[in-house]
Structure formats: C-alpha cells, structure tokens
Amino acid sequence: MSTKEGPQASRRGPYAKSTERRQAILTAAHAVFAARGYRGGSLQDVADRAGMSQTSLLHYFPSKSQLLLAVLNWRDSITGDGTAPPDPEESLVDAVLRQARFNEDVPGVLELYTVLCGEAVTEGHPGRPYFTNRFEELRRSYTRQLRELAGEGRLRPGVDPEVAAASLIGLWDGIQTQWLLAPDKVDMAGCLRGYLELILLPE
Amino acid sequence: MSTKEGPQASRRGPYAKSTERRQAILTAAHAVFAARGYRGGSLQDVADRAGMSQTSLLHYFPSKSQLLLAVLNWRDSITGDGTAPPDPEESLVDAVLRQARFNEDVPGVLELYTVLCGEAVTEGHPGRPYFTNRFEELRRSYTRQLRELAGEGRLRPGVDPEVAAASLIGLWDGIQTQWLLAPDKVDMAGCLRGYLELILLPE
C-alpha cells in the first residue's frame, strides 16, 4: 500500500485528497488507540490529532468500531499479518527471527497490538472477532509448516505440531509484552530462537 | 472471602463495616476493569456497581489509580502472585499445571489480568510499575528454580535458565489470551506441559 504523495497529488483531484485524509485519520487513530486503548481513546481525540472535526472524521469512518478494524488491517499491511504463505526459500527460524527483529524497530505498532489484543478478550469488544480469527489462522499456518517439517524428520520426536504452533504464537505475544515493559532485560529474538531450537532438529 | 451482610454485621461495628465496603468496591472494580479496562471503566461505573456514591467510594480509595493497585493486589491474593517460594514437595511441572488448571476456573480473573497487562505497556499507565515488577520477580523466581534443576542435571543441555524463564512466563500469558478468545480450541495446560517437557529431562 503506497501512500506516496508527489507534486502531482493536487492534480489527482478529490480521490487522492480523500486517500490522504483517510491515511491521516488512520495514523492518528493508531497513535490514540496505542496510547489509550480503544475504549479509553475517543473519536474526538482522533479527530483532534488528525486536525479535523469529528463530523469530517465520521464521513470517512462512520463508526469508532469501523475505524478500529481499519487500523488493525492497516497494521497488518505494515507488519504483515503472519498468515501469508511462507517464502519457500526462507526457513521457519529465519522468517520468525526476521519478523521479530523488524518488530523491535516499530514498538508503537507492538504497543497498539498489545493494548488492543488485551482489550479484545472482553465481551462485546469490536476487535474480538479480528483477534479470534487472527489467532486461528496463525495456528493453522504454523501447524501446517510444522507438519511439513515433521514429514522431513525435522521436528523433535514427541512434539505435537498443533501444540507447538499455539505455543510459538503465545510465547511470541507474551515475550513482546515483557519486552515492551523492559526492553533492556528481555531478549525477544533469543527467546524465539531458543524455542524453535527446542522443537526443531538440525538439518 | 465473604461479603454477606447478616444481622450480626451491625454488631461487628464500624471496622467490620468498613472492611465489607472496601471488599464490595474491590469486587465491583474487578468486574468493571475486567470488562472495560482501566481507562474505559470509570469510578462512577464502579460506584454504581457497588451501590454507593462516588464520594463514598473515594472515602475508601482516594484515586482511581489507588483503586487499580488495590484490585491488582487483591487479584494476587486470590490466584497467588506466582512469586511465593515454591513448595519443595511439588515439582515445577506440577506447580505450573496446578496453577494453570486453577486459572481455567476463574476466567474473569484472567480477563482482568489480560486487559490490564495489555493497557499497562502504555506510557503513564498507573499499572505499568506493577506489571514491570511482577515480570521481573517472576523471571527471577523461575530462573532460580531452573538453575537448581540444571544443578541436578534435569535441564536439557543448551537451555539457558534465564531465556527459558522469560519464555515460560511469555508462553503462559500468550496462551491464556488465545484460550480466553477460543477456550474450546486451545489446550492451555497441554501447551505448558509441552514446553516444560522440552526444557526438562526426566528424573
């Protein structure tokens, strides 16, 4: 998703303008929800930060919950949603560590994820279906990859691919939270590598 | 912990009455913060739920952040804070699985923990020091236990006690979140047992 705006932007007319304003709203909403959560951050906060009225904002995103889903999808477009088919040239370990290192450079995105994912376990939270589906797809994707590795004799005997998939995702989320609270004391990539080295056998 | 109001309540005098009211506020705040988070839940919501005025509530807990810390400490008194010295008669695996099974029976307590821990990664959240310290103490406690097991030759060669301690805590938190969203699809105790079986060698 490119958001480049060259000198030709004004020549591109109302459509480009509308894209710019949507983008400004998403950026503002990302910051507000990351700092205060979905329930704690108001549409007025987002409008203020985007430099527009709440009425203008509602023209682009008719409700706060629609804005939340747009922010979550936008986040996926930045970090990858983790459910894209794996690159056949890259090992599971390399892919996980590459993503983990990338994430260390975007703490604001991790913060948004952590705050919203925590809130989403509550009844009636508009992000709940998003996170429920996300975890289900991630578990399916990693289970598939681990089953393939098991077929190649690369999974440690006794490791259940489904349990290991859920555990890898859980460890990743949990260690991110610890890292956000104490970045100097927690080695995110080291914990992920340690886990993968436990479940995989060397080639 | 009873909040019963029997005919004897008045006979127990003002101290007992005060304890009861504090307890009623904590129960109400637990429910409100678990459902809406700290930022999303208001003192008025808590007062309404406890059946008293906000002024009365502030008599017992002078600020919302003090109420939050009281709720977190109360939660620790229910579930154990995980940093008590381990029972020398109980193995690490048994202790972790016992706690995980206990937690499955108190989803509301897990929900509160998950929502507040997620919020706490944000700047200026009054729960941030609590969670930062909690993770630090937990990492220290599990590192110590794993080092002892290493001394007995029970830790798999190559496993770093510090990395494994942070990973165990991370996995536990992360898998709890997945379980809260899809209790039928995630085997919390199975994931924890799987991890411990990977890092420990049989006796």
Side-chain angles (χ1 to χ4, degrees):
Chain A
M1 208 189 295
S2 167
T3 55
K4 267 184 286 186
E5 297 286 348
Q8 75 280 31
S10 55
R11 270 186 274 132
R12 281 188 282 143
Y15 177 75
K17 176 94 179 153
S18 159
T19 305
E20 265 171 41
R21 300 203 84 179
R22 286 179 69 89
Q23 186 56 50
I25 297 168
L26 287 177
T27 308
H30 189 294
V32 168
F33 293 157
R36 307 191 47 80
Y38 171 76
R39 290 202 166 108
S42 71
L43 279 181
Q44 190 59 56
D45 295 336
V46 177
D48 289 348
R49 199 174 173 109
M52 64 180 72
S53 69
Q54 209 183 126
T55 312
S56 303
L57 187 156
L58 289 168
H59 170 71
Y60 293 94
F61 297 95
S63 72
K64 195 179 170 194
S65 59
Q66 278 169 279
L67 179 57
L68 173 72
L69 293 179
V71 168
L72 288 169
N73 289 325
W74 180 49
R75 176 197 163 272
D76 285 342
S77 74
I78 300 172
T79 59
D81 65 355
T83 61
D87 174 354
E89 297 297 311
E90 193 179 32
S91 74
L92 174 63
V93 180
D94 289 346
V96 167
L97 294 182
R98 181 177 47 73
Q99 182 73 50
R101 288 201 194 93
F102 173 82
N103 288 350
E104 286 189 19
D105 292 333
V106 287
V109 177
L110 291 198
E111 210 171 292
L112 176 87
Y113 172 84
T114 303
V115 174
L116 294 181
C117 180
E119 274 187 333
V121 305
T122 58
E123 269 312 304
H125 191 284
R128 189 173 170 124
Y130 168 91
F131 282 102
T132 307
N133 293 339
R134 180 177 178 278
F135 283 124
E136 190 146 340
E137 282 181 34
L138 281 175
R139 285 194 296 265
R140 199 177 300 132
S141 166
Y142 283 119
T143 300
R144 196 186 318 114
Q145 292 179 64
L146 292 172
R147 282 211 182 108
E148 275 172 32
L149 287 163
E152 297 162 20
R154 297 272 328 279
L155 203 64
R156 186 183 293 277
V159 171
D160 177 319
E162 222 167 318
V163 168
S167 300
L168 173 63
I169 302 158
L171 193 162
W172 199 333
D173 282 349
I175 208 73
Q176 263 178 201
T177 303
Q178 291 180 55
W179 179 81
L180 284 168
L181 290 169
D184 299 337
K185 292 186 181 161
V186 175
D187 177 5
M188 247 197 309
C191 288
L192 286 165
R193 191 192 306 109
Y195 182 69
L196 290 168
E197 285 175 357
L198 281 167
I199 62 170
L200 300 177
L201 299 174
E203 275 186 270
Chain B
M1 217 176 292
S2 166
T3 54
K4 268 182 285 184
E5 299 275 358
Q8 76 281 28
S10 53
R11 270 186 273 132
R12 281 187 282 143
Y15 178 75
K17 175 97 179 151
S18 161
T19 305
E20 269 169 37
R21 297 203 88 178
R22 286 180 68 90
Q23 185 55 51
I25 295 167
L26 287 176
T27 309
H30 189 294
V32 167
F33 292 157
R36 306 191 48 80
Y38 172 75
R39 289 202 166 108
S42 71
L43 280 181
Q44 191 58 56
D45 294 336
V46 177
D48 289 348
R49 198 174 172 109
M52 64 181 70
S53 71
Q54 211 183 123
T55 312
S56 305
L57 187 155
L58 289 168
H59 171 71
Y60 294 93
F61 298 95
S63 71
K64 195 179 169 193
S65 58
Q66 279 170 278
L67 179 57
L68 174 72
L69 293 179
V71 168
L72 287 169
N73 290 325
W74 180 48
R75 175 197 164 273
D76 284 344
S77 73
I78 301 172
T79 59
D81 66 356
T83 62
D87 174 353
E89 297 297 311
E90 192 179 32
S91 74
L92 175 62
V93 181
D94 288 347
V96 167
L97 295 181
R98 181 179 47 74
Q99 183 72 50
R101 288 199 195 94
F102 173 82
N103 288 351
E104 286 189 21
D105 291 333
V106 287
V109 178
L110 292 197
E111 211 171 292
L112 177 87
Y113 172 85
T114 303
V115 174
L116 294 181
C117 180
E119 274 187 335
V121 304
T122 58
E123 270 312 304
H125 191 284
R128 190 173 170 125
Y130 168 90
F131 282 101
T132 307
N133 293 339
R134 179 176 180 277
F135 283 125
E136 191 147 338
E137 283 181 34
L138 281 175
R139 284 193 297 265
R140 198 175 302 133
S141 164
Y142 282 119
T143 299
R144 195 185 319 114
Q145 293 179 63
L146 292 173
R147 281 209 182 110
E148 277 173 29
L149 287 163
E152 296 162 20
R154 296 275 326 279
L155 203 63
R156 185 183 294 278
V159 171
D160 177 317
E162 222 167 319
V163 167
S167 300
L168 173 63
I169 301 157
L171 193 162
W172 198 334
D173 282 350
I175 208 71
Q176 261 178 202
T177 304
Q178 290 180 55
W179 180 79
L180 283 168
L181 290 169
D184 299 338
K185 291 185 181 161
V186 175
D187 177 5
M188 248 196 310
C191 288
L192 287 165
R193 191 192 307 110
Y195 182 70
L196 291 168
E197 285 175 355
L198 281 167
I199 62 170
L200 300 177
L201 299 173
E203 277 187 90

mmCIF file of all heavy atoms in Angstrom, chain B residues 2 18 28 34 53 62 66 68 89 91 99-100 109 116 136 145 158 168 186 189-190:
data_model
loop_
_atom_site.group_PDB
_atom_site.id
_atom_site.type_symbol
_atom_site.label_atom_id
_atom_site.label_comp_id
_atom_site.label_asym_id
_atom_site.label_seq_id
_atom_site.Cartn_x
_atom_site.Cartn_y
_atom_site.Cartn_z
ATOM 1 N N SER B 2 -16.035 -13.608 52.204
ATOM 2 C CA SER B 2 -17.483 -13.429 52.196
ATOM 3 C C SER B 2 -17.838 -11.951 52.266
ATOM 4 O O SER B 2 -17.176 -11.160 52.916
ATOM 5 C CB SER B 2 -18.071 -14.156 53.407
ATOM 6 O OG SER B 2 -19.394 -13.744 53.616
ATOM 7 N N SER B 18 -16.500 -1.224 57.456
ATOM 8 C CA SER B 18 -15.562 -0.623 56.529
ATOM 9 C C SER B 18 -14.882 -1.687 55.673
ATOM 10 O O SER B 18 -14.711 -1.523 54.460
ATOM 11 C CB SER B 18 -14.548 0.186 57.345
ATOM 12 O OG SER B 18 -13.406 0.428 56.599
ATOM 13 N N ALA B 28 -16.540 -4.849 42.766
ATOM 14 C CA ALA B 28 -17.130 -4.057 41.682
ATOM 15 C C ALA B 28 -16.045 -3.573 40.712
ATOM 16 O O ALA B 28 -16.211 -3.633 39.489
ATOM 17 C CB ALA B 28 -17.888 -2.866 42.266
ATOM 18 N N ALA B 34 -12.248 -5.495 34.431
ATOM 19 C CA ALA B 34 -12.129 -6.688 33.575
ATOM 20 C C ALA B 34 -12.960 -6.504 32.304
ATOM 21 O O ALA B 34 -12.577 -6.951 31.233
ATOM 22 C CB ALA B 34 -12.565 -7.944 34.327
ATOM 23 N N SER B 53 -22.316 6.003 46.407
ATOM 24 C CA SER B 53 -21.983 7.209 45.655
ATOM 25 C C SER B 53 -20.484 7.232 45.369
ATOM 26 O O SER B 53 -19.701 6.557 46.042
ATOM 27 C CB SER B 53 -22.360 8.448 46.456
ATOM 28 O OG SER B 53 -21.465 8.568 47.549
ATOM 29 N N PRO B 62 -8.874 6.882 47.561
ATOM 30 C CA PRO B 62 -8.860 8.302 47.194
ATOM 31 C C PRO B 62 -8.639 8.587 45.710
ATOM 32 O O PRO B 62 -8.884 9.701 45.273
ATOM 33 C CB PRO B 62 -7.698 8.872 48.024
ATOM 34 C CG PRO B 62 -7.449 7.880 49.101
ATOM 35 C CD PRO B 62 -7.853 6.551 48.553
ATOM 36 N N GLN B 66 -5.176 4.339 42.780
ATOM 37 C CA GLN B 66 -5.025 3.564 44.014
ATOM 38 C C GLN B 66 -5.994 2.367 44.033
ATOM 39 O O GLN B 66 -5.652 1.296 44.502
ATOM 40 C CB GLN B 66 -5.255 4.456 45.239
ATOM 41 C CG GLN B 66 -3.999 5.264 45.560
ATOM 42 C CD GLN B 66 -4.262 6.328 46.597
ATOM 43 O OE1 GLN B 66 -4.766 7.407 46.268
ATOM 44 N NE2 GLN B 66 -3.940 6.038 47.837
ATOM 45 N N LEU B 68 -6.978 0.821 41.354
ATOM 46 C CA LEU B 68 -6.398 -0.171 40.428
ATOM 47 C C LEU B 68 -5.367 -1.041 41.144
ATOM 48 O O LEU B 68 -5.385 -2.273 41.037
ATOM 49 C CB LEU B 68 -5.731 0.534 39.242
ATOM 50 C CG LEU B 68 -4.964 -0.400 38.300
ATOM 51 C CD1 LEU B 68 -5.915 -1.263 37.487
ATOM 52 C CD2 LEU B 68 -4.040 0.375 37.374
ATOM 53 N N GLU B 89 8.026 -29.853 48.087
ATOM 54 C CA GLU B 89 7.476 -31.196 47.838
ATOM 55 C C GLU B 89 6.853 -31.315 46.446
ATOM 56 O O GLU B 89 6.463 -32.390 46.012
ATOM 57 C CB GLU B 89 6.378 -31.510 48.875
ATOM 58 C CG GLU B 89 6.853 -31.573 50.311
ATOM 59 C CD GLU B 89 7.853 -32.705 50.496
ATOM 60 O OE1 GLU B 89 7.578 -33.825 50.059
ATOM 61 O OE2 GLU B 89 8.940 -32.437 51.089
ATOM 62 N N SER B 91 6.877 -30.613 42.258
ATOM 63 C CA SER B 91 7.787 -30.345 41.140
ATOM 64 C C SER B 91 7.327 -29.087 40.406
ATOM 65 O O SER B 91 6.171 -28.660 40.517
ATOM 66 C CB SER B 91 7.791 -31.526 40.172
ATOM 67 O OG SER B 91 6.594 -31.534 39.418
ATOM 68 N N GLN B 99 -1.535 -24.517 38.837
ATOM 69 C CA GLN B 99 -1.953 -23.119 38.717
ATOM 70 C C GLN B 99 -2.740 -22.900 37.408
ATOM 71 O O GLN B 99 -3.749 -22.200 37.402
ATOM 72 C CB GLN B 99 -0.717 -22.214 38.738
ATOM 73 C CG GLN B 99 -1.033 -20.725 38.687
ATOM 74 C CD GLN B 99 -1.633 -20.197 39.979
ATOM 75 O OE1 GLN B 99 -1.096 -20.439 41.046
ATOM 76 N NE2 GLN B 99 -2.754 -19.486 39.899
ATOM 77 N N ALA B 100 -2.275 -23.509 36.323
ATOM 78 C CA ALA B 100 -2.961 -23.330 35.030
ATOM 79 C C ALA B 100 -4.389 -23.868 35.110
ATOM 80 O O ALA B 100 -5.331 -23.252 34.593
ATOM 81 C CB ALA B 100 -2.187 -24.025 33.917
ATOM 82 N N VAL B 109 -10.874 -13.556 36.314
ATOM 83 C CA VAL B 109 -9.608 -13.073 36.867
ATOM 84 C C VAL B 109 -8.544 -13.003 35.759
ATOM 85 O O VAL B 109 -7.769 -12.048 35.678
ATOM 86 C CB VAL B 109 -9.136 -13.990 38.029
ATOM 87 C CG1 VAL B 109 -7.799 -13.538 38.569
ATOM 88 C CG2 VAL B 109 -10.176 -13.998 39.152
ATOM 89 N N LEU B 116 -5.641 -5.544 31.735
ATOM 90 C CA LEU B 116 -4.816 -4.540 32.410
ATOM 91 C C LEU B 116 -3.351 -4.657 32.013
ATOM 92 O O LEU B 116 -2.659 -3.658 31.842
ATOM 93 C CB LEU B 116 -4.964 -4.661 33.928
ATOM 94 C CG LEU B 116 -6.358 -4.328 34.456
ATOM 95 C CD1 LEU B 116 -6.385 -4.459 35.979
ATOM 96 C CD2 LEU B 116 -6.804 -2.928 34.046
ATOM 97 N N GLU B 136 9.536 -8.988 36.407
ATOM 98 C CA GLU B 136 10.925 -9.109 36.853
ATOM 99 C C GLU B 136 11.039 -10.158 37.976
ATOM 100 O O GLU B 136 11.925 -11.012 37.950
ATOM 101 C CB GLU B 136 11.424 -7.746 37.333
ATOM 102 C CG GLU B 136 12.909 -7.762 37.555
ATOM 103 C CD GLU B 136 13.544 -6.418 37.236
ATOM 104 O OE1 GLU B 136 12.947 -5.623 36.476
ATOM 105 O OE2 GLU B 136 14.631 -6.170 37.760
ATOM 106 N N GLN B 145 14.689 -21.402 40.005
ATOM 107 C CA GLN B 145 14.238 -22.798 40.018
ATOM 108 C C GLN B 145 14.893 -23.614 38.900
ATOM 109 O O GLN B 145 15.269 -24.773 39.094
ATOM 110 C CB GLN B 145 12.718 -22.857 39.888
ATOM 111 C CG GLN B 145 11.981 -22.297 41.091
ATOM 112 C CD GLN B 145 10.466 -22.372 40.892
ATOM 113 O OE1 GLN B 145 9.904 -23.445 40.774
ATOM 114 N NE2 GLN B 145 9.808 -21.233 40.829
ATOM 115 N N GLY B 158 22.040 -27.012 26.781
ATOM 116 C CA GLY B 158 21.824 -25.951 25.789
ATOM 117 C C GLY B 158 20.721 -24.986 26.188
ATOM 118 O O GLY B 158 20.608 -23.900 25.615
ATOM 119 N N LEU B 168 8.860 -19.228 29.455
ATOM 120 C CA LEU B 168 7.751 -19.908 30.138
ATOM 121 C C LEU B 168 6.664 -18.906 30.533
ATOM 122 O O LEU B 168 5.472 -19.136 30.307
ATOM 123 C CB LEU B 168 8.283 -20.636 31.381
ATOM 124 C CG LEU B 168 7.233 -21.260 32.306
ATOM 125 C CD1 LEU B 168 6.458 -22.357 31.585
ATOM 126 C CD2 LEU B 168 7.898 -21.839 33.568
ATOM 127 N N VAL B 186 -7.995 -24.219 22.425
ATOM 128 C CA VAL B 186 -6.639 -24.051 22.938
ATOM 129 C C VAL B 186 -6.491 -24.832 24.238
ATOM 130 O O VAL B 186 -7.299 -24.683 25.157
ATOM 131 C CB VAL B 186 -6.327 -22.549 23.161
ATOM 132 C CG1 VAL B 186 -4.976 -22.370 23.815
ATOM 133 C CG2 VAL B 186 -6.377 -21.807 21.829
ATOM 134 N N ALA B 189 -3.126 -26.039 29.500
ATOM 135 C CA ALA B 189 -2.252 -26.910 30.292
ATOM 136 C C ALA B 189 -1.365 -27.747 29.375
ATOM 137 O O ALA B 189 -0.186 -27.970 29.661
ATOM 138 C CB ALA B 189 -3.096 -27.809 31.201
ATOM 139 N N GLY B 190 -1.906 -28.192 28.231
ATOM 140 C CA GLY B 190 -1.128 -29.016 27.300
ATOM 141 C C GLY B 190 0.071 -28.251 26.743
ATOM 142 O O GLY B 190 1.159 -28.811 26.577
#
